[in-house]
Each structure stands twice: as structure tokens, then as C-alpha cells.
Amino acid sequence: MRNDQSFAGLTDKFAKNIYATAKGKIRLAVLERDLEPLYTGARPLSVLDVGAGIGQFSQNFARHGHNVVHTDIADEMVAAAREQHQAAGLSSYYSYFTAPLQELPDRIGRQQFDVVLCHAVLEWLADPASALQVLQQFLKADGALSLMFYNRNAKLMANMVFGNFDYVEADLQVKKRVRMSPQQPIAPQQLEDWLAQHKLTVMQRTGVRCFHDYLREPLNAERFEQLLRLELKYSQTEPFSELGRYQHWQIRHAAQ
């Protein structure tokens, strides 16, 4: 039986292997570009960050005076986020909850938010489809859901490029799981079907790391800025956007 993934015990490794690398910097840059119209707006927003980890991205909202509810399944992730926010002088904009996504309604109650952030969470859940109902109930009628997920199509493509044909024929399944590698990537069409069931619609689609993960040679540090410019330039242009290792979709309630 598959269980939801927690990164308890891996906080330092998570920070080093994700956000301190080129792939993590590209992820943050794309999210910052996509969501800038929200966090730079004049109206104060209420923000819920689900599976927020060490809380790096939500600081963009806090810096602009928006109040953020930070949640994660792992106590030590929440503690690390508190420390980071305190060091940045932003802790007054935050409240914190340690809980899995499914338990958030009991912990937070019926509160609804202008913005719900859920980045790189669905692919770690045993039942990702059911998470959308939870996220939806926290979203105001005119609210925005920022959903980033691990793209199954891109994972398949990358493994074909690198010649992992047996893995692709095994339907991307392995006997031994790698703890920091998502084992349940989400097919975009499947997610679209789930969203439709909850009367949610995609307003904007962005590919995250459309090129980085297909490079045949290690990225030279001196060329990172050039790669980043190209990632940002083509991240919303088909067919490149569809090949992003992650997809970032901005979602709202469907028009009635």
C-alpha cells in the first residue's frame, strides 16, 4: 500500500539537493515570474501554502505584506521555515501548522483564501486525485490555485532521451524507490480530468525546466544565466512548455 511521502529527516538534504541547485533556481525563477502579478498587487491577500517545506517561495508574498498560512506534514520542515522567516524579518506575516493535506480542514477550519499554493505535492501523495477536493474548499470563489506537479510525460521523454528503454517499457515503475525521486508523476490529461470533476479550470500553463533536464552534458555554471533566460522565454510556448519536467498551472473556479 502506497503512503504519502514525508521529508522528515531530510530537511538539510532537501534544501541542498533542490533549492541550491540549478534545477531549483529555475523552478523558483519560473514561479516568481508567473505569480508576480498576484504578490505585487495592491490588495492584501490571504495565502495558504500546502506542503510548503522550508517556505522559500511564499516569502515573495510575505515581503509584499500578504499573510501566509504555512503547512507541511513534517515538523522539522515547519521548524526550518520558521527559522528562515524569522531571519528574513517576515515571521509576523506567517502562521504555521504541521499536518498532512488531508487533515488541514480539521486544523484550519472553514477559512478560505485568495491564493492557495500547492507546489510539488501531488506526486508524493497516495491518492492525488482526492487532494483537489481539499484544495478547492480552501479557495475563495474568485481565488487562484497555483498548482505545480511532476509531469509524467516529461519523465517518460527524458528517460527515452537517455536510453532507459526498459524503464519506459516497465511503465516507469521500479522495485526500489528512491526517497527523493517522485514515484507517482501526474499525467497532465489525467489532472485536467480531475480538475473538471471539481469545476476548476486552468487559466495559465507553464513548463518548468523545459530544457535543463534534457541536457546531455553537465551544465557549466557560467552558462546558467543563459539557460535561465531561455527557460523563461519558452516556458509558455508550445511544444516546449509541455516538455517541462514540472508543470505550473494557475487555476480558478470555472465560470458559472
Side-chain angles (χ1 to χ4, degrees):
M1 181 177 178
R2 190 188 295 270
N3 295 315
D4 292 353
Q5 176 71 61
S6 167
F7 290 104
L10 295 174
T11 299
D12 292 341
K13 187 174 182 180
F14 184 86
K16 180 180 178 181
N17 289 8
I18 303 297
Y19 291 111
T21 63
K23 63 182 181 181
K25 292 174 182 176
I26 293 169
R27 175 196 292 190
L28 286 174
V30 172
L31 288 172
E32 287 173 359
R33 189 276 314 276
D34 282 5
L35 295 178
E36 184 177 12
L38 290 177
Y39 62 74
T40 58
R43 181 171 68 92
L45 301 175
S46 57
V47 181
L48 173 64
D49 197 353
V50 178
I54 57 178
Q56 287 184 307
F57 178 74
S58 66
Q59 290 183 83
N60 287 317
F61 284 91
R63 288 191 189 100
H64 287 82
H66 308 297
N67 292 312
V68 182
V69 175
H70 175 108
T71 77
D72 198 87
I73 193 173
D75 279 320
E76 66 180 70
M77 285 284 188
V78 175
R82 281 182 183 268
E83 291 181 7
Q84 181 164 277
H85 298 154
Q86 287 172 355
L90 299 171
S91 57
S92 63
Y93 295 101
Y94 282 91
S95 57
Y96 301 88
F97 293 89
T98 300
L101 180 150
Q102 299 88 344
E103 295 179 9
L104 287 178
D106 293 331
R107 298 296 305 279
I108 298 176
R110 297 182 178 274
Q111 183 177 359
Q112 291 187 316
F113 298 83
D114 298 299
V115 180
V116 176
L117 308 175
C118 186
H119 298 155
V121 174
L122 292 188
E123 59 268 21
W124 300 104
L125 301 180
D127 183 10
S130 66
L132 293 173
Q133 182 176 0
V134 178
L135 296 173
Q136 181 196 38
Q137 72 183 70
F138 286 121
L139 194 63
K140 288 183 178 180
D142 59 348
L145 169 61
S146 169
L147 191 66
M148 186 176 73
F149 63 94
Y150 194 61
N151 181 5
R152 189 182 194 282
N153 295 345
K155 184 175 184 179
L156 189 154
M157 183 66 180
N159 278 281
M160 288 299 298
V161 168
F162 287 98
N164 299 324
F165 304 146
D166 290 343
Y167 181 47
V168 173
E169 286 197 324
D171 199 28
L172 305 181
Q173 299 297 313
V174 292
K175 293 181 180 179
K176 184 178 180 180
R177 296 181 62 189
V178 179
R179 193 172 181 190
M180 292 191 70
S181 178
Q183 296 301 306
Q184 188 155 256
I186 310 296
Q189 185 55 57
Q190 179 68 78
L191 180 57
E192 192 118 42
D193 292 343
W194 295 341
L195 292 171
Q197 292 172 18
H198 296 287
K199 295 182 171 56
L200 295 168
T201 187
V202 184
M203 307 301 293
Q204 185 181 80
R205 305 166 192 264
T206 302
V208 182
R209 302 202 321 256
C210 302
F211 305 120
H212 174 277
D213 290 27
Y214 301 99
L215 298 178
R216 301 301 297 269
E217 301 293 337
L219 178 65
N220 187 310
E222 286 74 22
R223 303 189 69 191
F224 173 75
E225 292 300 328
Q226 184 178 23
L227 172 63
L228 179 58
R229 288 196 303 272
L230 292 169
E231 291 275 5
L232 291 169
K233 179 178 180 180
Y234 290 102
S235 62
Q236 293 176 347
T237 302
E238 295 182 2
F240 314 108
S241 58
E242 297 176 3
L243 293 175
R245 177 55 64 95
Y246 285 83
Q247 293 289 299
H248 177 227
W249 288 2
Q250 294 193 57
I251 296 162
R252 293 186 182 270
H253 289 288
Q256 299 299 315

